[in-house]
């Protein structure tokens, strides 16, 4: 039997960690490196929205059982255009439901970074095919060079720079402020996406009345909000929350971070692939970011499995990965950008367009299914004989 194929994964954030587990699941031996120590990797205070595409990947990797208890599902998503004072609610019926399971699948899940990363790191440590180099500068190359290098070293990727791969994109004038807040008035397990003239605003359930706010606004406004004492912050929050939401308490110091759109000009070079935010970034509207990163991993997993079983030459993986990821990445980046541009204003010419789009979405279930299907699964790969509802993201 030939020795297992070898991969080197650079960066142990949520994308690199999952990529290492996916490659090991495909039968490869993997080294995973990051200059941060495990406690630093888990220390970030943020929460992610997870869609069905992420659930499917975790299931395929045998990780869902361990991750699901760490997440809070949401069964309805209230979308509101604040300038129009109109909205609609997406329900699980608007999502293609798996035909095999008797229970209704939620629209998505919310999970905090720390417990998720702790779980991924524990699984990595236990995996016999994975070698971890965390909290140190990577030592010299392994005895045999790997057949695949996975660059998951984040938005400032040194690997991308070293390969001379440029990127397209821009920074938004908006920043994004996050905070955990106790809220009343929302249905249990309901998420909110408010499209406000100053920027999108998401309210994500964390369980027990706690919510994560993802509040986009002009940079100066975010800085001002960050500096407010808790009572004044809650007053500002109450001024923007729609009925019937009411804020009770601030659970942590709000923090803001810059947001931008960026896409690497190439997704691979030689035997190196760019995954996660080393390849792309988008606005947090619609909670697409980490799901898009993990769909990179889903494609890599499939290609790595083909290489491990001999149905694809390992040196073809990088180019095949690049070709397969473009459509989904472009779709999500364009869609999130359009949402931000069309809705972060009160432009009199756009208001009727937005009103009609909302009315159409509210009236036409097939359209709601299409929109929610793309948001939750990315761009389907159309194959003859398959209905749109049954399609997987690639
Ligand atoms: C301040 C901030 C707050 C955010 N809040 C939210 C939020 O609330 N909700 C949300 O959905 N998203 C949020 N995001 C976005 C989210 O964090 C990203 O989508 C996600 O982290 C992408 O994961 P990644 O693994 O691709 O990249 P990263 O998480 O950036 O991981 C990259 C990893 O590579 C490592 N690395 C860097 N250089 C090297 C090197 N030379 N060698 C080896 N390793 C290296 C880094 O140490 C890091 O661990 C936030 C982003 C920021 C910056």
């Amino acid at each position: 039997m030939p020795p297992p194929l070898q991969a080197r994964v650079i960066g142990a954030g949520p994308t690199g960690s999952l990529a290492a587990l996916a490659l090991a699941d495909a039968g490869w031996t993997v080294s995973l490196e990051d200059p941060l120590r495990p406690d630093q990797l888990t220390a970030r205070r943020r929460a992610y929205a997870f869609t069905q595409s992420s659930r499917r990947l975790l299931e395929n990797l045998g990780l869902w059982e361990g991750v699901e208890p760490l997440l809070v599902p949401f069964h309805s998503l209230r979308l509101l255009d604040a300038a129009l004072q109109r909205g609609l609610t997406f329900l699980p019926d608007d999502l293609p439901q798996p035909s095999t399971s008797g229970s209704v699948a939620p629209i998505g899940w919310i999970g905090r970074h720390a417990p998720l990363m702790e779980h991924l790191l524990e699984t990595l440590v236990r995996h016999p095919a994975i070698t971890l180099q965390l909290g140190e500068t990577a030592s010299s190359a392994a005895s045999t060079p790997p057949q695949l290098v996975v660059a998951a070293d984040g938005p400032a990727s040194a690997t991308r720079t070293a390969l001379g791969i440029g990127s397209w994109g821009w920074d938004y004038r908006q920043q994004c402020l996050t905070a955990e807040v106790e809220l009343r008035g929302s249905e249990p397990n309901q998420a909110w996406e408010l499209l406000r003239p100053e920027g999108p605003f998401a309210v994500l359930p964390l369980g027990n009345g706690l919510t994560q706010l993802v509040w986009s606004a002009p940079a100066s406004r975010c800085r001002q909000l960050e500096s407010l004492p808790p009572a004044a912050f809650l007053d500002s929050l109450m001024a923007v929350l729609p009925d019937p939401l009411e804020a009770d308490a601030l659970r942590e110091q709000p923090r803001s971070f810059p947001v931008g759109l960026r896409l690497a000009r190439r997704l691979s070079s030689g035997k190196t692939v760019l995954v996660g935010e080393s390849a792309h970034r988008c606005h947090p509207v619609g909670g697409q970011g980490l799901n898009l990163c993990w769909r990179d991993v889903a494609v890599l997993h499939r290609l790595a499995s083909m290489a491990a079983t001999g149905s694809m030459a390992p040196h073809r993986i990088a180019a095949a990965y690049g070709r397969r990821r473009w459509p989904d990445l472009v779709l999500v980046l364009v869609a999130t950008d359009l949402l931000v541009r069309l809705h972060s204003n009160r432009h009199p010419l756009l208001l009727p367009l937005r009103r009609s789009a909302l009315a159409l979405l509210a009236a036409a279930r097939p359209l709601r299914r299409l929109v929610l299907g793309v948001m939750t699964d990315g761009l389907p790969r159309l194959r003859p004989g398959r209905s749109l509802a049954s399609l997987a993201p690639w």
Side-chain angles (χ1 to χ4, degrees), residues 194-383:
L194 315 175
L195 299 169
R196 305 185 60 251
E198 66 175 8
F201 184 129
V203 179
L204 309 172
L206 291 169
N208 302 321
L210 263 187
T211 57
Q212 165 93 12
L213 305 182
V214 186
W215 184 348
S216 308
S220 55
R221 164 101 156 127
C222 284
R223 278 195 297 276
Q224 182 243 343
L225 287 166
E226 259 180 317
S227 65
L228 292 175
F233 179 85
L234 289 175
D235 286 344
S236 301
L237 177 59
M238 283 300 291
V240 302
L241 285 177
D243 284 341
L245 299 184
E246 286 190 50
D248 279 342
L250 180 64
R251 279 296 192 90
E252 64 174 20
Q253 176 62 34
R255 289 192 185 169
S256 62
F257 61 97
V259 287
L261 179 147
R262 202 141 292 280
L263 180 60
R265 286 172 189 261
R266 278 183 291 142
L267 299 176
S268 68
S269 173
K271 60 183 178 182
T272 303
V273 294
L274 304 181
V275 299
E277 291 213 344
S278 69
H280 48 80
R281 287 192 96 175
C282 62
H283 193 285
V285 64
Q288 296 294 302
L290 191 56
N291 298 289
L292 197 58
C293 297
W294 282 11
R295 290 209 289 274
D296 296 345
V297 176
V299 169
L300 199 59
H301 178 235
R302 174 95 174 235
L303 295 172
S305 304
M306 288 164 72
T309 54
S311 53
M312 173 182 265
H315 71 270
R316 294 198 185 278
I317 292 179
Y321 165 84
R323 282 194 302 279
R324 288 176 196 208
R325 286 306 290 141
W326 278 114
D328 185 32
L329 294 179
V330 170
L331 175 83
V332 171
L333 265 55
V334 169
T336 50
D337 189 61
L338 273 178
L339 256 182
V340 173
R341 285 178 198 279
L342 287 176
H343 288 272
S344 301
N345 61 70
R346 292 180 194 275
H347 199 293
L349 291 178
L350 289 178
L351 291 181
L353 185 76
R354 283 157 45 180
R355 189 174 292 115
S356 310
L358 268 180
L360 199 64
L361 259 184
R365 170 166 290 176
L367 188 62
R368 283 205 303 281
R369 286 191 131 207
L370 182 68
V371 168
L372 200 58
V374 169
M375 275 181 68
T376 200
D377 262 342
L379 187 66
R381 207 170 64 148
L382 288 164
R383 288 203 193 112

Side-chain angles (χ1 to χ4, degrees), residues 6-367:
Q6 291 187 24
R8 173 185 174 204
V9 181
I10 305 170
T15 309
S17 294
L18 197 63
L21 290 167
L23 289 163
D25 180 76
W28 292 53
T29 56
V30 186
S31 71
L32 173 63
E33 66 204 59
D34 198 297
L36 299 183
R37 297 185 311 269
D39 60 309
Q40 294 170 311
L41 285 167
T42 55
R44 296 172 180 173
R45 278 182 13 216
R46 59 189 75 159
Y48 307 107
F50 293 98
T51 64
Q52 296 290 341
S53 66
S54 294
R55 188 262 310 152
R56 193 176 303 111
L57 172 63
L58 292 170
E59 270 181 5
N60 288 342
L61 299 179
L63 297 170
W64 180 241
E65 222 171 82
V67 171
E68 190 182 13
L70 309 174
L71 309 180
V72 175
F74 58 95
H75 296 274
S76 70
L77 170 63
R78 180 91 183 124
L79 176 72
L80 267 184
D81 187 316
L84 295 173
Q85 292 288 315
R86 284 185 190 204
L88 65 113
T89 304
F90 289 97
L91 295 168
D93 281 358
D94 297 320
L95 199 65
Q97 292 287 330
S99 51
T100 46
S101 108
S103 58
V104 177
I107 291 176
W109 297 260
I110 309 298
R112 289 190 177 91
H113 174 88
L116 176 79
M117 268 317 288
E118 274 163 22
H119 182 75
L120 291 180
L121 288 174
E122 278 164 20
T123 315
L124 284 161
V125 167
R126 282 200 310 267
H127 205 298
I130 298 175
T131 311
L132 290 175
Q133 265 188 291
L134 303 181
E136 50 191 275
T137 312
S139 60
S140 55
S143 49
T144 51
Q147 282 96 343
L148 181 69
V149 177
V150 177
D153 45 355
S157 171
T159 315
R160 190 185 64 222
T161 308
L163 290 170
I165 301 178
S167 61
W168 294 287
W170 49 81
D171 295 328
Y172 291 102
R173 288 200 196 116
Q174 297 172 4
Q175 288 208 354
C176 183
L177 178 132
T178 58
E180 273 189 27
V181 172
E182 278 177 40
L183 272 192
R184 261 178 302 137
S186 184
E187 300 279 326
N189 303 101
Q190 181 170 37
W192 295 68
E193 182 78 59
L194 315 175
L195 299 169
R196 305 185 60 251
E198 66 175 8
F201 184 129
V203 179
L204 309 172
L206 291 169
N208 302 321
L210 263 187
T211 57
Q212 165 93 12
L213 305 182
V214 186
W215 184 348
S216 308
S220 55
R221 164 101 156 127
C222 284
R223 278 195 297 276
Q224 182 243 343
L225 287 166
E226 259 180 317
S227 65
L228 292 175
F233 179 85
L234 289 175
D235 286 344
S236 301
L237 177 59
M238 283 300 291
V240 302
L241 285 177
D243 284 341
L245 299 184
E246 286 190 50
D248 279 342
L250 180 64
R251 279 296 192 90
E252 64 174 20
Q253 176 62 34
R255 289 192 185 169
S256 62
F257 61 97
V259 287
L261 179 147
R262 202 141 292 280
L263 180 60
R265 286 172 189 261
R266 278 183 291 142
L267 299 176
S268 68
S269 173
K271 60 183 178 182
T272 303
V273 294
L274 304 181
V275 299
E277 291 213 344
S278 69
H280 48 80
R281 287 192 96 175
C282 62
H283 193 285
V285 64
Q288 296 294 302
L290 191 56
N291 298 289
L292 197 58
C293 297
W294 282 11
R295 290 209 289 274
D296 296 345
V297 176
V299 169
L300 199 59
H301 178 235
R302 174 95 174 235
L303 295 172
S305 304
M306 288 164 72
T309 54
S311 53
M312 173 182 265
H315 71 270
R316 294 198 185 278
I317 292 179
Y321 165 84
R323 282 194 302 279
R324 288 176 196 208
R325 286 306 290 141
W326 278 114
D328 185 32
L329 294 179
V330 170
L331 175 83
V332 171
L333 265 55
V334 169
T336 50
D337 189 61
L338 273 178
L339 256 182
V340 173
R341 285 178 198 279
L342 287 176
H343 288 272
S344 301
N345 61 70
R346 292 180 194 275
H347 199 293
L349 291 178
L350 289 178
L351 291 181
L353 185 76
R354 283 157 45 180
R355 189 174 292 115
S356 310
L358 268 180
L360 199 64
L361 259 184
R365 170 166 290 176
L367 188 62

